[in-house]
Amino acid sequence: MISKTDLHTGWTLNCNVAGKPDLPKTVPAHVPGCVHLDLLASRLIPDPYVDVNEITNDWIGREDWIYHCRFDASPDADLVQELVFDGLDTVATISLNGEEIGQTFNMHRTYRFDVSDRLKAEGNELVVTFRSAYAYGAEMEAHYGYRPNNYPGPGNLMRKMACNFGWDWGPTLVTAGIWKPVRLERWAKARLAEALVSATLAGGDGLVTVRAKIARAGDAGDCRITASIGGVTHSEIVKAGSDEVSFQVRVPSPQIWWPHHLGAQPLYPLRVELRECESDELLDEYVKQIGFRSVRLDTSADEHGSAFTFVINDVPLFLCGANWIPDDCFPSRVTAERYASRIDEAKAANINLLRVWGGGIFERDEFYEECDRVGMLVWQDFLFACASYPEEEPLRGEVEAEVRDNVARLMPHPSLIVWNGNNENIWGFDEWGWRPIIKEGESWGLGYYLDILPRLCAELDPERPYYPGSPYSGTMEIEPNADAHGCKHIWDVWNDVGYEVYRNYIPRFCSEFGWQAPPNWATLEESVHDAPLTPISNGVFHHQKATQGNDKLIRGLAGHLPEPQTMNDWHFATQLNQARAIRFAVEHMRSHRDICKGAVVWQFNDCWPVTSWAALDSSGRRKPLWYAMQHAFDPRLLTIQPREGGLAAVAVNERTLFWRAKISGKRLRLDGTVLAEFEFWRLLCDRFEAKAFTLPEDIATADDPNNEVIVVDMLDRRAFHYFVEDIDLKLPKPEMRIEVSKRESGYAVAVTAESLLKDLCLMADRLDPDAVVDTMLITLLPGETHVFEVETQAAIGVADIVVGTVLRSANDLVSAG
């Protein structure tokens, strides 16, 4: 049986850097890890996430770095011994016992080196030298020529995490290091060199396809490969002189794997064994958890243009998604537990799809395994983003090797439903002014998206859809960001116009749209120490990476909320506006689910403390946007939308059962006086349907628009409609009664409204940085009560629930007093 020995201890980092005489000669190094983390652990650099410390670390990415360790491993003539690096970041030379054994140029793939003849009985010396990514990038630019890039650095000229070089939400922290596990593998006779495993449904049965390649040592004889799953076993003989086998295993009537909002996620252990026929000795094995489901992407022409609909287990779905970026600038810090926590937060927000964005990384196995377990669908970008990419060597060969590695690694996961060719590169070529810059005959990446990637996916993973880009209309004959075709990104909203413009679009599938806000207050205070904190104080401003980002935050308030005059109000108003913008967009798109089949918010998470589009900040704290998404992505949504010159209450049902209930509503003054009301005994909304109910004219028409609201109820779902924006609404000064009672895990905070309270938020981190509140953005009519459940270990009382700081509402910002 193959043996594997991790080489994660005893590493040192050489710090002999010109111009840095105060650095020690070496420091202890952590593997997996990176240079920044090793220097930080030895207190040789300040934390780059704090204040403006990022800029003091710029020099690190411009230096070469050397990692060194010693290990014992005796040579053995009967064994093949290989050094295996799961991830090296990025341009590296590996030496063993003073002899170079290989070079690497790709952060996103595994490298394997045969060292059988190079080991010593004791004290093997392993050295990994990393070249500066900037220096290598300059060399590659001289080799390929300039290629347009929407962000700094040479990330498009090498296979390295592009956002390392800085993004409009991320710092410039250009890493180097052994960022994934490294080990010594020893084997005899044969090993599994590649296992391509896919699972789908064939009628009522599950069908597992296994394609295996074996590597042989010497004159290894016949081998047997056996796959076992669900009580079914199948074996094939691989004759001496051959190294490939392909077969299928049919599992009768398995339980079906579903996304979490529809059903369960049964997983079946698959075991593939490689044995020598003569001795029956177990030589190697492959073990995975497999789920049975089918997936296809419907892009057929229809009366609206062409569809973009994911069909899971023969069910066309509306997908409620969010974009996922690397959860840390230093990915080796992201543990399996952190993956699980973030994915649980996504699930709790009613998200059923995470799009792993193309400017980051292929996440580690633990991410996809957790998505399999909890029923979180995954859209996986190939790693091309916001830039043009050369298609010549050596980049072309690295891309192919990277794709082969990662498709083979990730294709068994039932959560993974699509491979996407790139992020915004076809759009960039078409509309961002790249055409005149790229010389005639120069490559820019299109050959990857329309030829190499689809060809490799068809060869390796034919059961799973591939799509060339996001956005992309399905053909180069139609502009790439078309409403009526393919998937769309909406970025004029936020960048140029107010969020009310979202209603101008009914995309077939919206794979990016977003609105910014600062992180939660506790996260801001932990990472920025300006005195005082202001939107433009040095630290706060540095943690805003978007061009004119703060200006856009204020411009985005125009017509909705007054411009805030204090830091507290700026923080709350911009967070509230972010939540409202995305809720507005999602409810609009979902109300048109007959045309639009997905809304994927930019973005779910952050990699460091920053003003960004995220719903969950870098400390894992929920911004108000998280609660807005939880509401807007509710499988049963009630919303009020404009329809045919009037208003309609639209029920949207993504559950497996029809939704039938009384629907009733009122038009009220803000003081609670009822002006008109209606009741319809039963509205029926079938599963996977949006059903509109036209509101009666006396409900939909205001007498005094500045002082009225519509409230519609359907069972426990409620929707509001205001005739004017808050800046023109006569919101009263917030009046309420507050009661606090102890709970086992914290406290219940009951708020009873004595005036209308709009979008009431309990900012739990203002009470305790570790506190979590269950709900937010609650609107109460006079006399109504809502109970906030606060999980905290801190002691709190009524006096701690300070209105205007801990307990906020839109009333605070706009009430006449």
Side-chain angles (χ1 to χ4, degrees), residues 507-587:
R508 306 313 305 266
F509 190 104
C510 193
S511 43
E512 276 192 26
F513 62 103
W515 200 272
Q516 266 204 351
N520 278 11
W521 190 265
T523 302
L524 197 59
E525 285 194 323
E526 289 166 358
S527 57
V528 177
H529 303 105
D530 299 344
L533 285 173
T534 75
I536 58 171
S537 61
N538 289 335
V540 176
F541 187 75
H542 183 74
H543 288 250
Q544 161 64 280
K545 294 297 186 178
T547 301
Q548 295 183 311
N550 278 3
D551 295 339
K552 293 174 183 179
L553 286 172
I554 296 301
R555 188 181 67 209
L557 296 172
H560 301 285
L561 292 165
E563 185 171 338
Q565 301 302 308
T566 68
M567 180 63 181
N568 273 337
D569 280 356
W570 175 84
H571 186 265
F572 176 64
T574 53
Q575 283 201 330
L576 176 61
N577 210 43
Q578 178 192 40
R580 287 179 169 182
I582 298 307
R583 182 168 168 174
F584 181 94
V586 171
E587 291 190 9

Side-chain angles (χ1 to χ4, degrees), residues 209-230:
T209 300
V210 178
R211 288 171 289 160
K213 291 184 180 179
I214 63 174
R216 295 179 180 272
D219 56 353
D222 295 353
C223 293
R224 182 174 65 254
I225 291 183
T226 301
S228 302
I229 184 171

Side-chain angles (χ1 to χ4, degrees), residues 306-362:
S306 58
F308 194 94
T309 305
F310 287 97
V311 182
I312 310 293
N313 301 329
D314 290 326
V315 180
L317 297 181
F318 184 103
L319 295 183
C320 299
N323 283 268
W324 172 277
I325 66 169
D327 203 56
D328 202 306
C329 298
F330 311 121
S332 61
R333 280 204 297 206
V334 181
T335 62
E337 292 75 19
R338 185 157 147 191
Y339 275 137
S341 174
R342 296 291 192 263
I343 293 165
D344 281 348
E345 287 284 353
K347 181 178 177 181
N350 290 318
I351 291 166
N352 56 33
L353 176 134
L354 290 173
R355 175 191 171 210
V356 181
W357 166 78
I361 57 175
F362 297 102

Side-chain angles (χ1 to χ4, degrees), residues 196 198 209 211 295 407 411 419 454-466:
L196 300 176
S198 62
T209 300
R211 288 171 289 160
V295 59
V407 170
M411 61 187 283
W419 298 107
R455 176 164 44 82
L456 289 172
C457 287
E459 172 195 339
L460 301 169
D461 191 20
E463 299 293 338
R464 187 175 278 107
Y466 168 83

Side-chain angles (χ1 to χ4, degrees), residues 324 327 334-349 351 354 366-367 370-371 373-374 376 604-605 616-622 626 772:
W324 172 277
D327 203 56
V334 181
T335 62
E337 292 75 19
R338 185 157 147 191
Y339 275 137
S341 174
R342 296 291 192 263
I343 293 165
D344 281 348
E345 287 284 353
K347 181 178 177 181
I351 291 166
L354 290 173
E366 296 96 325
F367 173 87
E370 186 64 21
C371 289
R373 280 190 287 268
V374 305
M376 183 65 65
F604 181 66
N605 59 326
L616 204 67
D617 73 22
S618 62
S619 295
R621 297 186 176 106
R622 300 170 175 176
W626 185 95
V772 178

Side-chain angles (χ1 to χ4, degrees), residues 88 104 216 316 328 400 443 449 465 547 590 594 629 751 798 802:
L88 291 169
T104 73
R216 295 179 180 272
D328 202 306
E400 180 162 346
S443 61
Y449 320 135
T547 301
R590 290 190 64 192
D594 57 324
M629 289 168 65
V751 179
V798 172
V802 179

Side-chain angles (χ1 to χ4, degrees), residues 489-509:
H489 292 191
I490 301 176
W491 281 118
D492 60 334
V493 182
W494 166 251
N495 278 319
D496 303 310
V497 294
Y499 68 74
E500 64 278 0
V501 177
Y502 279 127
R503 277 196 181 138
N504 293 358
Y505 301 106
I506 306 177
R508 306 313 305 266
F509 190 104

Side-chain angles (χ1 to χ4, degrees), residues 244 394 604 638 783:
E244 293 188 36
F604 181 66
L638 185 65

